[in-house]
């Protein structure tokens, strides 16, 4: 019996998406590690995170097919329909982001941007020492961590459900080519 032919792969995540993703992961982790007593280091890491979000937003309009928001941000109704199909274990595989993953991407980008912006505002003369802003910054930073944890759970769930290593694909950029039941 001849060995099975390996599944055909196609490039999905371009270098800007992959490098930006992992750089943002590092920035968020370093911001969390430097949150107490690191002063300027923490601030500059926050600025870097904000710059990475700005790059990703620009790339969401200018980038390759699967990087574009128009490709993966689906209307709320379609996303709810997809979520119901997930609960029934009938959801299709998506070559790019699935509808829930698309909205998670937007939530993560927005929460990182807001956490970074609130941190920047906190060190300006106009808002220096404002307790409400410090509380907001801490809340947003916690929200980023919570969303990141949900994102990781979604990646693990989807990887297992569709028998596809999504972490590896975010490293090398390739995914299994779509079958007739997949959404490309």
């Amino acid at each position: 019996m001849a060995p099975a032919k390996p599944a055909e792969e196609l490039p999905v995540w371009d270098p800007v998406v992959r490098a930006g993703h992992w750089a943002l992961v590092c920035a968020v982790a370093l911001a969390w590690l430097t949150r107490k007593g690191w002063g300027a280091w923490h601030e500059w890491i926050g600025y870097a995170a904000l710059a990475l979000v700005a790059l990703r937003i620009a790339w969401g309009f200018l980038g390759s097919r699967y990087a574009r928001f128009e490709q993966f941000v689906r209307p709320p109704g379609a996303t709810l329909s997809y979520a119901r199909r997930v609960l029934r274990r009938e959801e299709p595989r998506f070559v790019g982001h699935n509808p829930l993953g698309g909205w998670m991407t937007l939530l993560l980008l927005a929460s990182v941007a807001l956490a970074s912006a609130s941190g920047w505002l906190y060190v300006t003369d106009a808002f220096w020492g404002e307790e409400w802003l410090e509380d907001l910054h801490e809340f947003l930073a916690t929200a980023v961590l919570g969303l990141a944890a949900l994102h990781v759970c979604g990646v693990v769930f989807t990887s297992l459900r569709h028998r596809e290593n999504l972490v590896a694909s975010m490293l090398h950029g390739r995914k299994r080519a779509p079958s007739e039941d997949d959404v490309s």
Side-chain angles (χ1 to χ4, degrees):
M1 177 175 210
K5 182 181 168 190
E8 199 175 316
E9 292 184 327
L10 70 149
V12 174
W13 308 124
D14 64 55
V16 173
V17 168
R18 289 180 285 139
H21 174 272
W22 293 113
L24 193 55
V25 168
C26 291
V28 168
L30 287 171
W32 182 80
L33 290 170
T34 61
R35 70 193 183 282
K36 303 284 184 199
W38 285 80
W41 281 99
H42 182 76
E43 290 174 33
W44 282 103
I45 293 166
Y47 299 144
L50 190 56
L52 289 165
V53 169
L55 172 65
R56 183 59 183 95
I57 290 170
W59 203 242
F61 293 103
L62 305 171
S64 62
R65 175 182 179 187
Y66 293 104
R68 291 180 182 244
F69 297 131
E70 68 186 17
Q71 196 278 331
F72 68 83
V73 178
R74 303 222 167 35
T79 304
L80 288 173
S81 175
Y82 175 80
R84 285 197 260 343
R85 292 184 74 183
V86 168
L87 293 173
R88 292 191 311 261
R89 299 182 57 83
E90 309 174 338
E91 79 282 4
R93 173 183 169 263
F94 281 74
V95 175
H97 288 92
N98 66 49
L100 292 172
W103 281 97
M104 178 57 77
T105 299
L106 294 181
L107 286 170
L108 282 164
L109 291 172
S111 63
V112 171
L114 290 170
S116 298
S118 65
W120 167 72
L121 280 175
Y122 185 72
V123 299
T124 63
D125 289 340
F127 293 100
W128 178 260
E130 291 286 343
E131 189 173 333
W132 69 268
L133 190 55
E134 181 178 15
D135 292 343
L136 176 63
H137 180 66
E138 288 179 12
F139 170 80
L140 291 166
T142 301
V144 169
L145 295 179
L147 289 169
L150 281 175
H151 172 60
V152 169
C153 289
V155 166
V156 170
F157 173 82
T158 303
S159 291
L160 294 171
R161 180 81 177 102
H162 295 288
R163 294 180 176 90
E164 181 168 52
N165 188 338
L166 296 179
V167 175
S169 71
M170 190 51 81
L171 292 170
H172 54 61
R174 297 178 311 278
K175 288 182 78 177
R176 186 175 71 240
S179 70
E180 61 189 41
D181 297 327
D182 295 340
V183 178
S184 63

